[in-house]
Amino acid sequence: MRGRPPKPASLKALSGRSHKGQRPHAAHADALEYVPPPPRDADDLASAQWDALAPLLVDLRVLSESDLPALLACCEAWSDYVTARRVVRESGMTYESDTQTGTIRRPAPEVAIAADAWRRYTSMLCRFGLTPADREKVSRGASDSDDPMLALVGGDRA
């Protein structure tokens, strides 16, 4: 195993950190300047998440044409998570199963589906620099009031 995945060049450029002797990156040369529409085959939940994340990534200048499949994977993971969590809320986290030794309680499959989808979603957020820890590493010289993640979560720090 290789270890940690390499940080994309666009995030390295935003963070302003580079190793001695490292050539400067062509910062944001291929970053999109428009918000692309969600793919037609994305479901409603994935499309809504695309509409929330794509503008943030364009504003941060970290989204390029080649990143669109990764963004779709992120949005689909969100859709899978929300869908599985709805089932868990309606049906519960466990179910009863009859065995030769009696009735036992087992975890519902949707619990594992939700956990896997959450791991995929947060992994993709990290790759785009959209988690709190990754956001600390990425500086675009803006004040907290310009933080696009605050707009996504719908609040300001008080």
Side-chain angles (χ1 to χ4, degrees):
M1 295 197 57
R2 246 176 77 159
R4 183 183 301 206
K7 184 187 259 187
S10 56
L11 292 181
K12 286 182 185 178
L14 280 175
S15 69
R17 297 182 185 132
S18 64
H19 299 296
K20 263 188 176 176
Q22 188 178 33
R23 290 189 349 210
H25 296 283
H28 321 298
D30 60 347
L32 295 177
E33 295 183 11
Y34 64 94
V35 176
R40 285 187 214 127
D41 62 340
D43 65 26
D44 291 342
L45 288 169
S47 292
Q49 190 65 5
W50 180 288
D51 291 339
L53 292 178
L56 296 175
L57 297 171
V58 169
D59 286 348
L60 290 171
R61 301 201 35 84
V62 297
L63 185 65
S64 67
E65 193 74 31
S66 63
D67 297 326
L68 297 182
L71 178 58
L72 178 59
C74 180
C75 295
E76 287 175 338
W78 174 256
S79 176
D80 293 347
Y81 173 73
V82 171
T83 302
R85 287 297 303 153
R86 284 181 183 161
V87 172
V88 169
R89 273 195 305 277
E90 292 169 6
S91 304
M93 296 185 73
T94 61
Y95 67 96
E96 288 185 356
S97 178
D98 292 325
T99 66
Q100 291 177 345
T101 59
T103 302
I104 61 170
R105 293 191 85 47
R106 297 179 187 257
E110 292 81 11
V111 172
I113 292 169
D116 176 64
W118 185 255
R119 278 189 295 275
R120 290 184 290 127
Y121 178 66
T122 56
S123 171
M124 294 308 295
L125 289 180
C126 290
R127 291 173 188 250
F128 285 113
L130 293 179
T131 62
D134 291 309
R135 214 170 38 254
E136 285 297 314
K137 298 175 191 171
V138 178
S139 170
R140 60 183 187 123
S143 68
D144 276 351
S145 62
D146 295 334
D147 188 347
M149 284 305 290
L150 289 177
L152 176 66
V153 296
D156 41 10
R157 295 179 190 169

